[in-house]
Amino acid sequence: MNQTDMEQQLEQLGAFEISEEMLKLAQHNEKNNDVLDAGRGNPNWINTKARLAFARLIEFGVAESRRTILKGDLAGYTTLTDISTRYAEFLDAGDSTDNFLLEALEYVANRFNIDRDDFVKEMVDGVIGNNYPVPSRVLKHSEKILNAYLQETLYNGVNLAEQTQVFPTEGGSAAIVYIFNSLRVNHLLAPGDKIAVSTPIFTPYLQIPVLNEYEMVEVDLSSRAEDDWQIQPAELAKVTDPDIKALFLVNPSNPGAMALDERALAQIKQLVANNPDLIIITDDVYGTFVNDFQTVYSVVPNNTLLVYSYSKLFGATGWRVGMIAAHEDNVFDRLISQLPESQRAELDARYALNVFAPAEMKFIDRIVADSRAVGLYHTAGLSTPQQLMEVLFSLNFLLEADNGDYYVEASKAIVAKRYAALFENLGIPANLSPYNSKYYALIDVYQLAEQRYDKGFRAYLVDNFEQIDFLYQLSEKSGVVVMDGAGFGTPDGVIRVSEANLPDEAYSQVATAILELLADYNNQYIND
C-alpha cells in the first residue's frame, strides 16, 4: 500500500484512532528522535496529597478490619463505635499527609454537620472496598463533599450545592455514554431529532449521535479561528429553531480551549427562557484552568446536566473518576412526566424492578439504573475506592482554597508556560484571552504556511495533499505526534496540540518540527 492509499484509509478513522497510528509511525521516525506525543490530553503531573492520603486510609482500614477477625492475611469487618477516636490515635498530626486527613475530618464535621464516626466509617469502608456502593448512586456523605467541590470550582458564586444531585461515574467518558443512552431510553431524544453541537468538540459528541441506535441530526454551532474559537451570537442563535431538542457543549472547549464568555452565557439563558423544554449537556472538565470560570449549569441549572472529571486537574486519567450532576428540579423529570401515556407505562414497567413508584424516579437515578441494564441497579454505582478518591481530591481543593489554591494555580501555570513556548517558537501570536484555558492549542497549518511564505504556497498545500498528510509526515520524519482537528469538527488543515503531556522544553521542539516540515513542503512547491 502506498502512502496516499494509507492516508485515505486513515482518514476514515476517528481522531484518536488516527493518533494511535501516528504514534506507531513515530516510533521509527527518520531522524531517530525521541517520540513527542503532543496529541493526547493526559497530564504529566499528579496530585500527591490525595493519593498519599488514600494510602494511609487503606492502612487504617486494614488495621480496623484486623480488630474483628485476624487469621493470617484474612481480616474482618470494620465497626462504627468510636472509629473516629481510633482514627485520630492512628494518625500523626506531625506528618503532612496525616494532618491533612485530620483537618479534613474536622472540616467535614463542621461544614456539613456530619457525625465524625459516620464519616470515618464511610471513608474506611470506601477505600478498602468491602461493600457494594450504598446507595447505588453515590455514598451518602460523599455527595455533600462532591457538591461543595463543584460549587467552589465551577459555579462562580452561585449557590446550588444543596439542590444538586450527583452520580459519580467511570470518568467523564462513561458519563457521556450513560447520558446519551438514558436520553434515548426515556424518549427525551429519538432518532431523527435535531441536536445542536458546539464545534469543534470532543469527538464522542460528534460520533455517538450518528450511531444507528441514535440517528440524530446534528446542527453544528461552529467556532472559528478568526474569533479565537469563541462561539459567536449568530451560531448560538441557531438554537432558536424549535425543532432543536438539545444543546451539547464542552466548556472550556476541547479542542478550542475557550470558555464561554458572559455574552454567550446570557444568550443561552435567553434561549432557555424562550424554550423551557431545551435540554443542555455541558462538559466542564477543563473549567478549573480558567480564572473565574462559570458553568452553564449555574446559569440554567433546571435545564442542564453537568459532566465533570477530575482527570485533567489532578492527573488521574487512569483512575476514571468523573460525575454527572443534575438539579433536583429539572426539565428531564418534567418532560418524562409529560410523555404520552403509552411511553410512561413502558417506562414504569422498565423501572418497576428498582423502585415502588417508578413514575417518580428521578432522571439521574434512571441513568444509574440504565448504566447497569436496570436489573443490576442494586449493584450499580462507581466503585467505592474511586468515589473516595474523588472525595479526597475534592477535600484537597476545599481545604487549600482558603490558602490561595496553590495546586490549581500551579497546574494553570504549567499549561500556560507550554502554550506560550509553542506559539513563541511558531512565531505566531498567542491567544491571551482570559477565557483561554491553554490546555490545548489549535494550529491552522494552511494559515501558518501563508504567513511564513505566501498565498501560493497555501493553495499548493490545499490542492496537493490529503488532509492527514501533514500528520503523517510529522510523525514519520520527526517523531512528533499531533491530532487531526477535523475529527473534532474543525476546518481542514487544523491540528490540535496538547499542552498537558510533554515536558516544558518539548514544546519548542514540537514547533521546530512543524516549521521544518513546512519548509520541506515549500521546497517541493518551489521545485514543482
Side-chain angles (χ1 to χ4, degrees):
M1 182 186 301
N2 61 39
Q3 180 179 322
T4 300
D5 291 339
M6 183 176 182
E7 288 175 359
Q8 290 175 340
Q9 286 196 8
L10 285 170
E11 285 184 338
Q12 306 307 309
L13 299 176
F16 288 93
E17 289 74 19
I18 291 173
S19 182
E20 289 298 318
E21 294 301 319
M22 295 301 100
L23 190 58
K24 295 175 186 176
L25 195 64
Q27 306 290 337
H28 308 287
N29 67 85
E30 293 175 3
K31 298 178 181 178
N32 293 316
N33 290 341
D34 291 337
V35 175
L36 296 178
D37 184 1
R40 299 300 291 268
N42 190 82
N44 62 353
W45 68 86
I46 65 167
N47 174 276
T48 58
K49 185 177 288 184
R51 286 172 167 87
L52 290 171
F54 186 89
R56 285 293 280 159
L57 281 172
I58 290 178
E59 288 185 67
F60 177 68
V62 170
E64 279 292 291
S65 301
R66 285 172 171 168
R67 292 180 64 251
T68 53
I69 302 174
L70 181 57
K71 297 180 182 296
D73 290 334
L74 187 153
Y77 48 91
T78 64
T79 57
L80 176 65
T81 304
D82 295 330
I83 191 172
S84 63
T85 301
R86 295 189 297 275
Y87 181 69
E89 292 172 349
F90 177 86
L91 298 173
D92 176 6
D95 177 84
S96 60
T97 301
D98 287 11
N99 187 59
F100 162 64
L101 287 169
L102 290 168
E103 288 182 347
L105 176 59
E106 292 307 302
Y107 174 87
V108 168
N110 294 328
R111 174 165 178 175
F112 304 109
N113 195 29
I114 295 174
D115 179 82
R116 288 172 174 79
D117 284 343
D118 285 346
F119 180 62
V120 173
K121 183 73 158 60
E122 181 172 293
M123 282 202 302
V124 168
D125 288 342
V127 294
I128 63 177
N130 62 346
N131 199 358
Y132 293 111
V134 179
S136 297
R137 178 165 53 80
V138 60
L139 298 175
K140 177 182 176 182
H141 301 311
S142 297
E143 184 171 24
K144 295 181 180 179
I145 297 163
L146 303 185
N147 263 320
Y149 172 81
L150 290 177
Q151 179 158 301
E152 296 297 326
T153 54
L154 304 181
Y155 300 169
N156 198 25
V158 180
N159 188 352
L160 291 169
E162 294 183 3
Q163 294 84 46
T164 300
Q165 298 173 310
V166 300
F167 171 30
T169 59
E170 299 92 332
S173 300
I176 296 166
V177 173
Y178 294 161
I179 287 171
F180 269 108
N181 181 53
S182 286
L183 288 172
R184 175 182 62 86
V185 166
N186 285 275
H187 304 292
L188 298 180
L189 289 178
D193 281 348
K194 284 185 179 181
I195 62 171
V197 182
S198 177
T199 58
I201 196 169
F202 185 41
T203 57
Y205 290 104
L206 297 173
Q207 297 165 339
I208 293 174
V210 298
L211 294 174
N212 58 10
E213 60 262 47
Y214 296 101
E215 295 181 334
M216 298 172 192
V217 178
E218 294 179 352
V219 177
D220 285 352
L221 312 182
S222 301
S223 301
R224 301 175 299 178
E226 51 264 40
D227 299 316
D228 287 331
W229 304 105
Q230 183 68 265
I231 192 166
Q232 297 301 297
E235 292 299 304
L236 275 174
K238 293 178 182 178
V239 186
T240 58
D241 178 350
D243 291 333
I244 289 178
K245 298 287 188 66
L247 169 61
F248 288 80
L249 303 157
V250 175
N251 180 31
S253 56
N254 172 11
M258 292 291 286
L260 295 174
D261 59 19
E262 289 89 346
R263 173 198 48 77
L265 292 173
Q267 189 173 358
I268 291 171
K269 186 174 183 178
Q270 187 59 49
L271 289 170
V272 169
N274 295 338
N275 178 11
D277 291 344
L278 183 65
I279 290 170
I280 299 175
I281 286 80
T282 183
D283 185 334
D284 295 356
V285 173
Y286 304 96
T288 49
F289 291 90
V290 173
N291 293 331
D292 301 316
F293 173 78
Q294 183 156 20
T295 173
V296 170
Y297 177 71
S298 68
V299 176
V300 283
N302 307 98
N303 290 69
T304 305
L305 287 177
L306 168 63
V307 173
Y308 182 73
S309 170
Y310 292 82
S311 61
K312 303 304 191 294
L313 179 60
F314 292 98
T317 53
W319 264 101
R320 312 309 299 146
V321 281
M323 68 177 109
I324 300 167
H327 197 274
E328 60 187 11
D329 177 17
N330 62 73
V331 68
F332 309 95
D333 294 334
R334 177 170 59 78
L335 290 176
I336 290 171
S337 73
Q338 296 171 354
L339 289 171
E341 183 178 351
S342 61
Q343 292 182 335
R344 284 186 281 119
E346 170 207 319
L347 293 174
D348 287 352
R350 177 181 179 86
Y351 299 112
L353 290 169
N354 306 141
V355 292
F356 286 121
E360 300 173 10
M361 191 177 191
K362 305 287 287 183
F363 182 63
I364 194 168
D365 291 314
R366 294 174 186 231
I367 296 176
V368 179
D370 294 334
S371 76
R372 296 298 183 268
V374 179
L376 293 170
Y377 180 68
H378 62 292
T379 61
L382 185 66
S383 77
T384 59
Q386 287 169 286
Q387 289 193 47
L388 263 294
M389 196 73 250
E390 293 189 359
V391 167
L392 290 169
F393 285 143
S394 297
L395 287 170
N396 186 177
F397 172 84
L398 291 168
L399 266 67
E400 195 175 77
D402 294 335
N403 300 314
D405 298 339
Y406 173 77
Y407 179 85
V408 175
E409 293 306 315
S411 300
K412 292 177 185 175
I414 287 174
V415 295
K417 180 180 180 181
R418 296 168 180 178
Y419 183 90
L422 176 68
F423 279 86
E424 179 181 351
N425 284 277
L426 285 173
I428 55 180
N431 175 8
L432 301 180
S433 166
Y435 298 100
N436 187 1
S437 69
K438 301 178 182 176
Y439 201 93
Y440 298 112
L442 289 179
I443 309 298
D444 187 333
V445 174
Y446 297 152
Q447 184 178 1
L448 182 62
E450 180 178 339
Q451 177 182 317
R452 293 193 67 85
Y453 298 98
D454 54 42
K455 290 183 179 180
F457 176 48
R458 173 178 182 150
Y460 171 78
L461 284 180
V462 172
D463 293 341
N464 289 276
F465 296 96
E466 297 290 335
Q467 159 70 13
I468 204 170
D469 186 77
F470 193 87
L471 280 73
Y472 190 103
Q473 295 291 338
L474 197 62
S475 299
E476 184 179 53
K477 292 185 175 182
S478 299
V480 171
V481 178
V482 297
M483 291 198 73
D484 177 19
F488 297 84
T490 72
D492 286 350
V494 176
I495 58 175
R496 188 191 83 164
V497 178
S498 164
E499 277 74 69
N501 63 339
L502 291 174
D504 294 356
E505 63 274 11
Y507 288 88
S508 61
Q509 299 171 34
V510 170
T512 297
I514 290 172
L515 295 180
E516 287 178 349
L517 181 55
L518 273 181
D520 290 344
Y521 279 119
N522 189 57
N523 287 334
Q524 294 179 50
Y525 166 59
I526 293 170
N527 294 323
D528 279 354

